[in-house]
Amino acid sequence: MNKKRIVILGSTGSVGRQTLEVIAQYPEKFSVEVITGWNNTALLAEQARAFLPKTVVTGDKKNYQELKDALKDLPVKVLAGTEALNEVVSGEVDLVMAAIVGFAGLMPVLTALEHGVPVALANKETLVVAGDIVMETAKRKNVSVIPVDSEHSAIFQCLQGENGGIEKIILTASGGPFIGKKTNFLVNVKRDHALQHPNWHMGEKITIDSATLMNKGLEMIEARWLFNLKPEQIEVVIHPQSVIHSVVQFVDGSLKAQMGLPDMKVPIQYALTHPGRLKNDFPRFSFKNYPKLTFDRPDIKTFRNLALAMEALQKGGNLPCIMNAANEEVVHAFLKNKIGFLEMTEIIEEAMNSCQRIEKPTLADYQQSDQSARELAQKLIAQKSN
Ligand code: NDP
Ligand code: MG
């Protein structure tokens, strides 16, 4: 059987590294054609040595020479720059794992789909920013977008063998490290505390998004596009144990949930093997270790980012794109200790209220909205950090 030829965008990140771990189990099933990174050139070179892809890309041109030197004895092509990220997804490949973080992942995903290449999508910001254009492209080119995010993989798995009939979906949320806390606590939270997620080990940006609950808001918007739902069909429930990964409620009142240990390698593997499954040796779930599963409502009065994302979901247009851009900027600033935990929300809200709204944006409109929301957010960050 022919091997599935994979491109991993963002192979040096949390999802990217775990994708390589999954692939390493099945050398006869998959071949890694391309890997890409940004700052972590040493790890990218190490991965190239272990997997011998045809092409290795650093998105940041300043790292080109270092990467080229590190791989000079290997038969691999070395490329640099964001254009190269678009080039490598349009070649002779079978699946692109989109594991870049943020808006930067949008163009390579669109390019892959335009070239008829299926995408395993971890990069949720792509759908938050331009979900209408991404899904329209996938439909027009008749290619799949396979979710990697654990909640969306859960829903996708629950929908296998179904033929419509979704009443609503219920996205589960761990609640993050500050579950149950109130504003008087959150106002003093610093980066190192916010980076300690109870259940998942992930990249820094999504870990902060999980602490503010913005991650769940982004996931509501992601779900809206992936499964073609109305905003009112998407619900969030807090489930601190993170073993029910999400639930679909059908029109006949039946519920289907997908469960498992909180381990991203499982949804990553499913995205790679879909529609089939392959045996692995990952740790197995046992009810004995989880005698109590609990559920609660999200506290959107305290965790206002989730309320803002719900507003963006409801209003649509370029508002989710504006929110996402401001969020990327404030998370970056918070990680650099420039602004406080709650100031992130204030800046996002102001960007959402001030940036020009467009009801039916084009791709160029999204790019422009992203840019202006970032500029405004940066200005507000500078004011707060003075
Ligand atoms: P990481 O920060 O760990 O990894 C991001 C990857 O993207 C790295 O390879 C990084 O390169 C690369 N990168 C960063 N900036 C750019 C850029 N401007 N252009 C091109 N490449 C860039 O993130 P995660 O793996 O945690 O998350 C990736 C995506 O998957 C996010 O959208 C996240 O929301 C989503 N996701 C992640 C989950 C997780 O468990 N981590 C779970 C569900 C979804 P380098 O490291 O070399 O600088
Ligand atoms: Mg998730």
Side-chain angles (χ1 to χ4, degrees):
M1 206 190 82
N2 287 340
K3 292 186 189 181
K4 209 178 220 183
R5 297 162 301 176
I6 314 282
V7 174
I8 307 174
L9 299 174
S11 64
T12 49
S14 160
V15 172
R17 292 192 305 267
Q18 294 181 83
T19 303
L20 286 171
E21 274 180 58
V22 168
I23 287 178
Q25 305 173 103
Y26 313 106
E28 71 294 350
K29 303 273 187 206
F30 301 102
S31 78
V32 179
E33 301 286 302
V34 181
I35 54 175
T36 85
W38 187 259
N39 275 322
N40 199 343
T41 309
L43 178 60
L44 189 60
E46 197 184 297
Q47 292 177 338
R49 234 160 248 290
F51 289 87
L52 291 178
K54 291 202 179 81
T55 310
V56 183
V57 184
T58 171
D60 193 346
K61 284 187 175 157
K62 76 171 175 351
N63 299 325
Y64 175 75
Q65 204 51 50
E66 185 189 343
L67 184 62
K68 182 95 183 144
D69 291 346
L71 300 178
K72 62 176 183 289
D73 58 320
L74 294 185
V76 300
K77 193 154 125 193
V78 178
L79 300 175
T82 43
E83 324 77 67
L85 297 174
N86 294 325
E87 192 182 319
V88 293
V89 295
S90 43
E92 293 274 294
V93 293
D94 300 311
L95 184 72
V96 169
M97 167 59 76
I100 287 175
V101 58
F103 181 89
L106 173 62
M107 284 318 292
V109 165
L110 275 177
T111 310
L113 295 173
E114 275 296 348
H115 285 82
V117 178
V119 172
L121 191 77
N123 175 226
K124 63 190 81 180
E125 294 90 348
T126 283
L127 288 177
V128 173
V129 169
D132 53 348
I133 295 181
V134 172
M135 296 313 285
E136 179 278 318
T137 308
K139 196 170 171 197
R140 177 164 43 80
K141 292 288 174 177
N142 195 23
V143 277
S144 8
V145 176
I146 305 164
V148 173
D149 211 348
S150 59
E151 297 77 1
H152 305 74
S153 174
I155 292 162
F156 186 64
Q157 292 182 54
C158 291
L159 292 176
Q160 298 301 307
E162 298 290 343
N163 187 14
I166 305 177
E167 193 159 78
K168 68 174 182 183
I169 63 160
I170 302 158
L171 295 176
T172 52
S174 72
F178 306 131
I179 186 169
K181 301 290 188 204
K182 296 290 171 198
T183 314
N184 59 352
F185 174 91
L186 295 176
V187 70
N188 295 317
V189 160
K190 295 281 180 285
R191 78 182 287 278
D192 292 343
H193 194 180
L195 280 173
Q196 283 157 21
H197 195 280
N199 302 344
W200 301 95
H201 299 283
M202 312 176 283
E204 289 191 339
K205 194 256 174 186
I206 183 175
T207 306
I208 301 302
D209 284 344
S210 301
T212 63
L213 293 201
M214 177 55 94
N215 183 51
K216 212 45 59 181
L218 300 177
E219 290 184 352
M220 291 178 82
I221 302 171
E222 179 185 16
R224 182 243 181 282
W225 294 115
L226 276 172
F227 307 113
N228 192 23
L229 300 170
K230 297 196 183 79
E232 50 279 13
Q233 286 177 292
I234 307 167
E235 209 173 283
V236 170
V237 68
I238 300 290
H239 165 50
Q241 298 79 21
S242 296
V243 301
I244 295 184
H245 296 314
S246 279
V247 182
V248 180
Q249 179 174 313
F250 293 93
V251 287
D252 59 357
S254 179
L255 298 172
K256 260 184 170 179
Q258 187 264 347
M259 297 176 66
L261 289 172
D263 178 355
M264 275 308 292
K265 289 204 286 301
V266 177
I268 288 171
Q269 173 161 327
Y270 187 70
L272 294 174
T273 63
H274 169 78
R277 293 184 188 268
L278 290 174
K279 181 161 175 56
N280 62 32
D281 296 324
F282 303 157
R284 299 301 194 238
F285 172 82
S286 163
F287 277 103
K288 278 186 291 195
N289 300 330
Y290 288 90
K292 207 169 175 184
L293 299 181
T294 59
F295 306 92
D296 203 351
R297 272 173 208 227
D299 175 2
I300 62 172
K301 287 213 169 78
T302 305
F303 294 88
R304 289 204 305 120
N305 276 7
L306 181 54
L308 290 176
M310 287 170 170
E311 181 192 336
L313 168 70
Q314 198 73 45
K315 294 188 174 158
N318 65 341
L319 196 56
C321 170
I322 293 167
M323 180 193 74
N324 177 71
N327 183 56
E328 287 191 30
E329 292 298 324
V330 294
V331 169
H332 185 71
F334 175 74
L335 284 167
K336 293 210 137 102
N337 293 315
K338 285 190 185 163
I339 54 171
F341 192 82
L342 295 176
E343 286 176 323
M344 290 195 275
T345 311
E346 292 166 20
I347 293 172
I348 297 166
E349 187 170 34
E350 183 151 353
M352 287 172 69
N353 288 336
S354 310
C355 289
Q356 195 202 345
R357 296 274 300 283
I358 305 171
E359 224 157 276
K360 281 230 161 287
T362 61
L363 182 57
D365 290 332
Y366 282 129
Q367 285 162 327
Q368 182 55 49
S369 302
D370 175 77
Q371 197 52 42
S372 33
R374 278 174 202 275
E375 282 163 18
L376 176 61
Q378 281 163 8
K379 208 171 86 191
L380 297 169
I381 289 164
Q383 281 168 11
K384 290 202 191 279
S385 50
N386 279 334

